[in-house]
């Protein structure tokens, strides 16, 4: 099976920065897309940023210019550099990986459990 693990969350003051990591491992034949989503208490999960198989990226309007998604292909890992964080960025950040399972050739989306980002002075 495929495992997805996020890390790097924590408490940061408004205007501060954090760098999140998401690592995929297990029965991976190939990875297509990897993306970050977030969910704040009482709100629906929302898209944050994605990096495609070919390396193209896209961002939610709310984070453009502040967040940068990148990847290390060899490590099956993506990163989310978050700058100028504000209270609206506080949420659980979850990683989604579209991967092909080497055991059966099925392409599926796999979620991690998330990492908490808290923005407070």
């Amino acid at each position: 099976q495929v495992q997805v693990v996020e890390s790097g969350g924590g408490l940061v003051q408004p205007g501060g920065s954090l760098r999140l990591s998401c690592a995929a491992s297990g029965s991976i034949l190939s990875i297509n897309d990897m993306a970050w989503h977030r969910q704040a208490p009482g709100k629906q999960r929302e898209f944050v940023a994605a990096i495609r198989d070919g390396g193209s990226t896209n961002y939610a309007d709310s984070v453009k210019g502040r967040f940068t998604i990148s990847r290390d292909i060899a490590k099956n890992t993506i990163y989310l550099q978050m700058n100028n964080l504000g209270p609206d960025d506080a949420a659980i950040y979850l990683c989604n990986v579209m991967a092909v399972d080497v055991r059966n050739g099925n392409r599926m989306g796999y979620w991690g459990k998330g990492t908490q980002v808290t923005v407070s002075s």
Side-chain angles (χ1 to χ4, degrees):
Q1 62 186 36
V2 177
Q3 296 85 37
V4 177
V5 178
E6 303 95 335
S7 61
L11 173 64
V12 63
Q13 292 185 343
S17 298
L18 279 176
R19 187 189 191 217
L20 307 183
S21 299
C22 166
S25 61
S27 56
I28 298 171
L29 177 62
S30 63
I31 291 178
N32 300 127
D33 305 338
M34 298 179 76
W36 288 99
H37 298 251
R38 66 187 181 186
Q39 188 164 17
K43 294 186 178 181
Q44 289 188 334
R45 187 174 298 184
E46 65 174 357
F47 168 79
V48 176
I51 187 162
R52 310 300 180 190
D53 189 21
S56 63
T57 60
N58 62 298
Y59 298 89
D61 287 343
S62 59
V63 307
K64 281 181 182 176
R66 299 187 298 123
F67 290 12
T68 302
I69 189 170
S70 61
R71 67 180 180 179
D72 184 329
I73 296 175
K75 295 181 179 179
N76 288 338
T77 298
I78 61 170
Y79 307 95
L80 187 68
Q81 177 66 43
M82 306 187 295
N83 298 327
N84 193 21
L85 287 161
D88 288 345
D89 297 313
I92 294 176
Y93 282 70
L94 303 112
C95 181
N96 179 266
V97 177
M98 293 298 296
V100 177
D101 194 318
V102 68
R103 299 173 299 171
N104 51 31
N106 290 340
R107 180 175 179 267
M108 291 180 56
Y110 299 89
W111 289 94
K113 294 182 179 180
T115 184
Q116 179 72 50
V117 172
T118 303
V119 183
S120 176
S121 55

